[in-house]
Amino acid sequence: MQHVDVLIIGGGPAGISAAVWCKRLGVECLLLEEQGQLGGQLFTIYNEIIDYPGIQAENGIEMQRKMVQHFIDMDCLYEVNTKVISIDERSKTVKVNQQETEKEIGYTYLILATGSSQRKLGVPGEQQMMGRGEVYSASADGERLKGKRVALIGGGDRAFEGAHLLASQAKEVYLIHRSTHFKAREQYVEKVLSNPSVKVMTDTEVTAIHGKHHVTSIDLKSRNTECECENLLVDAVLIRLGVAPNVELIKEKVITTQSGLIVINEVHQSSNPAIYAIGDACTTPLFSSISSSAGQGAIVAKHLSSLLNM
């Protein structure tokens, strides 16, 4: 069985940073990534990146190229298309699947850089919509949604910013939120509420998404009444409910918060002394950033280097 001193799960900015620092410090390290290439959520950033010190990038894809090139130049060890099936914290092993083949990898220390995923509605038709590739970015898909009837679901910054961006291009824009309280910043809320092109529907839940080949309508239910569901004709649905940490593999093995974040100490060690967490797996969404993820990777690598060289 293969064994490494440090095993990293996740190839986004946090995992890349941890691997680069491990390499620099002479720590034996292997990074595993489920997708076919490294980068994680960088592929979902379509706007210009202007807040990462020393590097400006046109979008997340350009930042991904820069980070991965650095990673490769450092000759870091990694395996892509590698899905982690299970973690056995007692034997310090992980079981992975690579192209229909399973194997086990042992570790001395495990770093979870598994990131986060968009929260889902969990209603009929949602999975089918996503399976058809009907996933949009308000900033990148304005032309695709031009003249369309668009529903944005959520009450945070992304929902309001998206509604504001699409108001000038879409035929109709609906912002649907299950509460009357918005988590979005005031400047976003003011822009949308004062825009006559956006219809804001509060205390309203989406109960189903319809459409066989593409979205045709959604069912809405008011939380204030017991009336029958209303059917709203739309051509696209953008779900903006925030993110949830990807911790399914480990949530019963380490202490997590009510929202699912892995609880860590000042060196990002979890309640299990051999398991560490960095990036969105342990960071409150409000404080999540490429910069913080990269910094956390450095902290853990430096700490583990000191432990392994004692």
Side-chain angles (χ1 to χ4, degrees):
M1 181 179 67
Q2 182 181 6
H3 185 280
V4 292
D5 285 339
V6 175
L7 184 64
I8 302 170
I9 301 177
I16 288 174
S17 173
V20 166
W21 274 94
C22 280
K23 184 70 176 183
R24 179 175 183 263
L25 296 168
V27 173
E28 181 193 29
C29 168
L30 173 65
L31 184 149
L32 305 178
E33 168 57 44
E34 182 176 352
Q35 302 303 317
Q37 52 187 329
L38 305 177
Q41 293 182 72
L42 290 175
F43 290 105
T44 66
I45 301 174
Y46 301 98
N47 55 284
E48 185 181 5
I49 297 172
I50 59 173
D51 49 15
Y52 189 93
I55 298 178
Q56 288 180 281
E58 185 179 340
N59 50 40
I61 293 175
E62 184 183 351
M63 177 66 87
Q64 183 266 353
R65 290 195 197 104
K66 293 175 184 288
M67 284 194 165
V68 172
Q69 189 58 57
H70 184 183
F71 178 90
I72 291 172
D73 289 345
M74 291 287 287
D75 199 26
C76 297
L77 295 177
Y78 69 105
E79 296 178 7
V80 294
N81 293 314
T82 302
K83 180 179 177 61
V84 177
I85 302 170
S86 62
I87 298 170
D88 188 331
E89 77 281 12
R90 294 177 297 278
S91 64
K92 292 188 177 182
T93 60
V94 301
K95 183 182 291 185
V96 304
N97 185 300
Q98 290 178 318
Q99 300 174 336
E100 307 303 321
T101 301
E102 291 186 3
K103 68 174 183 178
E104 286 191 341
I105 303 172
Y107 63 83
T108 303
Y109 295 105
L110 179 66
I111 300 177
L112 298 168
T114 47
S116 60
S117 300
Q118 296 300 315
R119 291 188 187 276
K120 297 179 180 179
L121 283 168
V123 301
E126 179 182 28
Q127 199 56 48
Q128 291 88 334
M129 176 186 76
M130 297 175 70
R132 293 192 300 262
E134 292 183 84
V135 180
Y136 303 98
S137 161
S139 56
D141 293 322
E143 278 299 314
R144 289 177 66 193
L145 296 173
K146 197 168 186 177
K148 304 287 188 181
R149 296 162 300 187
V150 181
L152 292 102
I153 304 166
D157 283 354
R158 290 192 69 213
F160 274 84
E161 186 178 19
H164 174 68
L165 288 171
L166 293 174
S168 61
Q169 294 179 297
K171 179 181 180 181
E172 297 171 5
V173 176
Y174 301 91
L175 192 148
I176 302 163
H177 187 43
R178 67 193 303 273
S179 167
T180 54
H181 171 71
F182 305 120
K183 292 183 178 179
R185 280 174 278 186
E186 191 58 38
Q187 62 263 40
Y188 290 143
V189 175
E190 287 177 1
K191 284 180 181 178
V192 169
L193 293 184
S194 63
N195 191 328
S197 299
V198 181
K199 182 177 180 181
V200 178
M201 306 171 75
T202 57
D203 275 333
T204 303
E205 293 182 340
V206 175
T207 58
I209 299 172
H210 299 290
K212 187 174 182 181
H213 302 294
H214 57 82
V215 170
T216 56
S217 68
I218 55 178
D219 286 345
L220 303 176
K221 182 172 177 58
S222 171
R223 302 183 75 213
N224 291 328
T225 66
E226 294 300 320
C227 64
E228 293 295 316
C229 285
E230 171 192 356
N231 186 258
L232 179 68
L233 298 177
V234 295
D235 304 299
V237 177
L238 281 69
I239 300 169
R240 299 293 183 262
L241 302 177
V243 296
N246 297 326
V247 294
E248 289 300 314
L249 287 167
I250 201 73
K251 67 178 183 179
E252 303 297 332
K253 305 172 191 295
V254 298
I255 296 174
T256 57
T257 67
Q258 190 173 1
S259 59
L261 295 168
I262 298 171
V263 175
I264 52 163
N265 63 14
E266 68 278 3
V267 291
H268 286 260
Q269 184 182 51
S270 74
S271 56
N272 183 311
I275 298 176
Y276 292 72
I278 55 179
D280 288 355
C282 63
T283 304
T284 302
L286 177 64
F287 303 124
S288 173
S289 69
I290 302 171
S291 300
S292 63
S293 292
Q296 291 167 15
I299 290 170
V300 174
K302 286 188 171 189
H303 176 68
L304 295 183
S305 173
S306 68
L307 294 180
L308 290 164
N309 292 318
M310 286 177 65

